[in-house]
Coordinates of all heavy atoms in Angstrom, one line a residue:
F1 N 0.9 -1.2 0.0 CA -0.1 0.0 0.1 C 0.9 1.3 0.0 O 0.5 2.2 -0.7 CB -0.9 0.0 1.2 CG -2.1 1.0 1.2 CD1 -3.1 0.8 0.4 CD2 -1.9 2.3 1.9 CE1 -4.1 1.8 0.3 CE2 -2.9 3.1 1.8 CZ -4.1 2.9 1.0
M2 N 2.0 1.2 0.7 CA 2.9 2.3 0.7 C 3.5 2.5 -0.7 O 3.6 3.7 -1.2 CB 4.0 2.1 1.7 CG 4.8 3.3 2.1 SD 6.2 3.0 3.3 CE 5.1 2.5 4.6
C3 N 3.9 1.5 -1.3 CA 4.5 1.6 -2.7 C 3.4 2.0 -3.7 O 3.7 2.7 -4.6 CB 5.1 0.2 -3.1 SG 6.5 -0.3 -2.1
H4 N 2.2 1.5 -3.5 CA 1.1 2.0 -4.4 C 0.8 3.4 -4.2 O 0.5 4.1 -5.2 CB -0.2 1.2 -4.1 CG -1.4 1.5 -4.9 ND1 -1.4 1.3 -6.3 CD2 -2.5 2.1 -4.7 CE1 -2.6 1.7 -6.8 NE2 -3.2 2.2 -5.7
T5 N 1.0 3.9 -3.0 CA 1.0 5.3 -2.8 C 2.1 6.1 -3.4 O 1.8 7.3 -4.0 CB 0.9 5.7 -1.3 OG1 0.0 5.0 -0.6 CG2 0.8 7.2 -1.0
V6 N 3.2 5.6 -3.6 CA 4.4 6.3 -4.2 C 4.0 6.3 -5.7 O 4.3 7.4 -6.3 CB 5.6 5.4 -4.0 CG1 6.7 6.0 -4.9 CG2 6.0 5.5 -2.6
M7 N 3.4 5.3 -6.3 CA 3.0 5.3 -7.7 C 2.0 6.4 -7.9 O 2.0 7.2 -8.9 CB 2.5 4.1 -8.2 CG 3.5 2.9 -8.0 SD 2.6 1.2 -8.5 CE 3.9 0.1 -8.1
H8 N 1.1 6.5 -7.0 CA 0.0 7.6 -7.1 C 0.6 9.0 -7.0 O 0.3 10.0 -7.6 CB -1.0 7.4 -6.0 CG -2.1 8.3 -6.1 ND1 -3.3 8.0 -6.8 CD2 -2.3 9.6 -5.5 CE1 -4.2 9.0 -6.7 NE2 -3.6 10.0 -5.9
V9 N 1.6 9.1 -6.1 CA 2.3 10.4 -5.8 C 3.0 10.9 -7.1 O 3.1 12.1 -7.3 CB 3.2 10.3 -4.7 CG1 4.1 11.5 -4.5 CG2 2.5 10.2 -3.3
M10 N 3.5 10.0 -8.0 CA 4.2 10.4 -9.2 C 3.4 11.3 -10.1 O 3.9 12.1 -10.7 CB 4.7 9.2 -9.9 CG 5.8 8.4 -9.1 SD 7.3 9.3 -8.8 CE 7.0 9.8 -7.1
F11 N 2.0 11.0 -10.2 CA 1.2 11.9 -10.9 C 0.9 13.1 -10.2 O 0.9 14.1 -10.9 CB -0.2 11.1 -11.2 CG -1.1 11.9 -12.1 CD1 -0.9 12.0 -13.4 CD2 -2.1 12.6 -11.5 CE1 -1.8 12.7 -14.2 CE2 -3.0 13.3 -12.2 CZ -2.9 13.4 -13.6
M12 N 0.8 13.1 -9.0 CA 0.5 14.3 -8.2 C 1.7 15.2 -8.4 O 1.5 16.5 -8.5 CB 0.2 14.0 -6.7 CG -1.0 13.1 -6.5 SD -1.3 12.9 -4.7 CE 0.3 12.8 -4.0
V13 N 3.0 14.7 -8.3 CA 4.0 15.6 -8.5 C 4.3 15.9 -9.9 O 4.7 17.0 -10.2 CB 5.3 14.9 -7.9 CG1 6.5 15.6 -8.2 CG2 5.1 14.6 -6.3
G14 N 4.1 14.9 -10.8 CA 4.3 15.2 -12.2 C 3.5 16.2 -12.8 O 3.9 16.9 -13.8
G15 N 2.2 16.5 -12.3 CA 1.3 17.4 -13.0 C 1.9 18.8 -12.8 O 2.1 19.6 -13.8
P16 N 2.2 19.3 -11.6 CA 2.8 20.7 -11.4 C 4.0 20.9 -12.1 O 4.3 21.9 -12.7 CB 3.0 20.8 -9.9 CG 2.0 19.9 -9.3 CD 1.9 18.6 -10.2
V17 N 5.0 19.9 -12.1 CA 6.2 19.9 -12.8 C 6.0 20.0 -14.3 O 6.7 20.8 -15.0 CB 7.1 18.7 -12.5 CG1 8.4 18.7 -13.3 CG2 7.5 18.7 -11.0
F18 N 5.1 19.2 -14.8 CA 4.8 19.4 -16.3 C 4.2 20.7 -16.7 O 4.6 21.2 -17.7 CB 3.9 18.2 -16.7 CG 3.6 18.1 -18.2 CD1 4.6 18.0 -19.0 CD2 2.4 18.2 -18.7 CE1 4.5 17.8 -20.4 CE2 2.1 18.1 -20.0 CZ 3.1 18.0 -20.9
R19 N 3.3 21.3 -15.8 CA 2.8 22.6 -16.2 C 4.0 23.7 -16.2 O 4.0 24.5 -17.0 CB 1.8 23.0 -15.1 CG 1.0 24.3 -15.5 CD 0.0 24.7 -14.5 NE -0.6 25.9 -15.0 CZ -0.2 27.1 -14.9 NH1 1.0 27.3 -14.4 NH2 -1.0 28.1 -15.3
T20 N 4.9 23.5 -15.2 CA 6.0 24.4 -15.1 C 6.9 24.3 -16.3 O 7.2 25.3 -17.0 CB 6.9 24.2 -13.9 OG1 6.1 24.2 -12.8 CG2 8.1 25.1 -13.8
L21 N 7.0 23.1 -16.8 CA 7.9 22.9 -18.0 C 7.1 23.4 -19.3 O 7.8 24.0 -20.2 CB 8.0 21.3 -18.2 CG 8.9 20.9 -19.5 CD1 10.3 21.5 -19.5 CD2 8.9 19.4 -19.6
L22 N 5.9 23.3 -19.3 CA 5.1 23.9 -20.5 C 5.4 25.3 -20.7 O 5.5 25.8 -21.7 CB 3.7 23.5 -20.4 CG 3.2 22.0 -20.5 CD1 1.7 21.9 -20.2 CD2 3.5 21.5 -21.9
F23 N 5.3 26.1 -19.5 CA 5.4 27.6 -19.7 C 6.9 27.9 -19.8 O 7.1 29.0 -20.3 CB 4.7 28.2 -18.5 CG 3.2 28.4 -18.6 CD1 2.4 27.5 -17.9 CD2 2.7 29.2 -19.5 CE1 1.0 27.5 -18.1 CE2 1.4 29.4 -19.7 CZ 0.4 28.5 -19.0
R24 N 7.8 27.1 -19.4 CA 9.2 27.4 -19.7 C 9.6 27.2 -21.1 O 10.5 27.7 -21.6 CB 10.1 26.5 -18.7 CG 10.0 26.9 -17.3 CD 11.1 26.3 -16.5 NE 11.0 26.7 -15.1 CZ 11.9 26.3 -14.2 NH1 12.8 25.5 -14.5 NH2 11.7 26.8 -12.9
Y25 N 8.8 26.4 -21.9 CA 8.9 26.3 -23.3 C 8.7 27.7 -23.9 O 9.2 27.9 -25.0 CB 8.0 25.2 -23.9 CG 8.4 23.8 -23.7 CD1 7.6 22.8 -23.5 CD2 9.9 23.5 -23.6 CE1 7.9 21.5 -23.2 CE2 10.3 22.2 -23.4 CZ 9.3 21.2 -23.2 OH 9.8 19.9 -23.0
V26 N 7.8 28.4 -23.4 CA 7.5 29.8 -23.8 C 8.1 30.9 -23.0 O 7.5 31.9 -22.9 CB 6.0 29.9 -24.1 CG1 5.5 29.1 -25.2 CG2 5.2 29.7 -22.9
I27 N 9.1 30.5 -22.2 CA 9.8 31.4 -21.2 C 9.1 31.6 -20.0 O 9.5 31.4 -18.9 CB 10.1 32.7 -21.9 CG1 11.0 32.5 -23.2 CG2 10.9 33.7 -20.9 CD1 11.4 33.7 -23.9
S28 N 7.7 32.1 -20.0 CA 6.9 32.4 -18.8 C 5.4 32.6 -19.3 O 5.1 32.6 -20.4 CB 7.4 33.7 -18.1 OG 7.3 34.8 -18.9
E29 N 4.6 32.7 -18.2 CA 3.2 32.9 -18.5 C 2.9 34.3 -19.0 O 2.1 34.4 -20.0 CB 2.4 32.8 -17.1 CG 2.4 31.3 -16.6 CD 1.6 31.2 -15.3 OE1 1.0 32.2 -14.9 OE2 1.6 30.2 -14.7
Q30 N 3.6 35.3 -18.6 CA 3.5 36.6 -19.1 C 4.0 36.7 -20.5 O 3.2 37.3 -21.3 CB 4.3 37.6 -18.3 CG 3.9 37.8 -16.8 CD 4.3 36.6 -15.8 OE1 5.0 35.8 -16.3 NE2 3.7 36.7 -14.6
N31 N 5.0 36.0 -20.9 CA 5.5 36.0 -22.3 C 4.5 35.3 -23.2 O 4.3 35.7 -24.3 CB 6.8 35.4 -22.3 CG 7.4 35.5 -23.7 OD1 7.8 36.6 -24.2 ND2 7.5 34.4 -24.5
Y32 N 3.8 34.2 -22.7 CA 2.8 33.6 -23.4 C 1.6 34.6 -23.8 O 1.1 34.6 -24.8 CB 2.2 32.4 -22.8 CG 1.0 31.8 -23.4 CD1 1.0 31.0 -24.4 CD2 -0.3 32.1 -22.8 CE1 -0.1 30.4 -25.0 CE2 -1.4 31.6 -23.4 CZ -1.3 30.8 -24.5 OH -2.5 30.3 -25.1
V33 N 1.2 35.3 -22.8 CA 0.1 36.3 -23.1 C 0.4 37.3 -24.0 O -0.3 37.7 -24.9 CB -0.3 37.0 -21.6 CG1 -1.3 38.0 -21.8 CG2 -0.8 35.9 -20.7
K34 N 1.8 37.7 -24.0 CA 2.2 38.7 -25.0 C 2.2 38.1 -26.4 O 1.9 38.7 -27.4 CB 3.7 39.3 -24.6 CG 3.5 40.1 -23.4 CD 5.0 40.5 -23.0 CE 5.0 41.3 -21.7 NZ 6.4 41.7 -21.5
E35 N 2.7 36.9 -26.5 CA 2.9 36.2 -27.8 C 1.5 36.0 -28.5 O 1.4 36.0 -29.7 CB 3.8 35.0 -27.7 CG 5.3 35.2 -27.4 CD 6.1 33.9 -27.6 OE1 5.7 33.1 -28.4 OE2 7.1 33.8 -26.9
T36 N 0.6 35.5 -27.6 CA -0.7 35.2 -28.3 C -1.7 36.3 -28.5 O -2.4 36.2 -29.4 CB -1.4 34.1 -27.3 OG1 -1.6 34.8 -26.0 CG2 -0.7 32.9 -27.2
G37 N -1.3 37.4 -27.9 CA -2.2 38.7 -28.1 C -3.6 38.5 -27.8 O -4.4 39.0 -28.5
G38 N -3.9 37.8 -26.6 CA -5.3 37.7 -26.4 C -6.1 36.8 -27.2 O -7.3 36.9 -27.4
E39 N -5.5 35.7 -27.8 CA -6.2 34.6 -28.6 C -7.0 33.8 -27.6 O -6.5 33.2 -26.6 CB -5.2 33.9 -29.4 CG -6.0 32.8 -30.2 CD -4.9 32.1 -31.0 OE1 -3.7 32.4 -31.0 OE2 -5.3 31.2 -31.7
P40 N -8.3 33.6 -27.9 CA -9.1 32.8 -26.9 C -8.7 31.3 -27.0 O -8.2 30.8 -28.0 CB -10.5 33.1 -27.4 CG -10.5 33.4 -28.8 CD -9.0 34.1 -28.9
V41 N -9.1 30.6 -25.9 CA -8.6 29.1 -25.8 C -10.0 28.4 -25.4 O -10.9 28.9 -24.6 CB -7.7 28.9 -24.6 CG1 -7.4 27.5 -24.4 CG2 -6.4 29.8 -24.9
Q42 N -10.2 27.2 -26.1 CA -11.3 26.4 -25.7 C -11.1 25.6 -24.4 O -10.0 25.1 -24.1 CB -11.5 25.3 -26.9 CG -11.9 26.0 -28.2 CD -12.2 24.9 -29.3 OE1 -11.8 23.8 -29.1 NE2 -12.8 25.3 -30.4
L43 N -12.2 25.4 -23.8 CA -12.2 24.7 -22.5 C -12.7 23.3 -22.6 O -12.6 22.5 -21.6 CB -13.0 25.4 -21.5 CG -12.6 26.8 -21.1 CD1 -13.5 27.4 -20.0 CD2 -11.1 27.0 -20.7

């Protein structure tokens, strides 16, 4: 059960890290807003 929790934690940790990596591909969140120029996004 402890090891199964470690497997579960990998997604919990991977989510925030992956989001950080995504915005570092475009330098930062502020830079993304500047580059897109207010282009709408689908939800």
Side-chain angles (χ1 to χ4, degrees):
F1 193 79
M2 190 181 300
C3 295
H4 183 67
T5 302
V6 171
M7 298 178 188
H8 185 92
V9 167
M10 289 302 100
F11 179 77
M12 299 184 326
V13 174
V17 173
F18 185 56
R19 188 185 184 280
T20 302
L21 179 62
L22 288 173
F23 280 103
R24 287 192 181 181
Y25 284 145
V26 292
I27 301 177
S28 65
E29 295 181 4
Q30 293 78 9
N31 188 67
Y32 168 79
V33 175
K34 292 179 182 179
E35 289 191 29
T36 55
E39 183 179 355
V41 179
Q42 291 183 348
L43 300 181

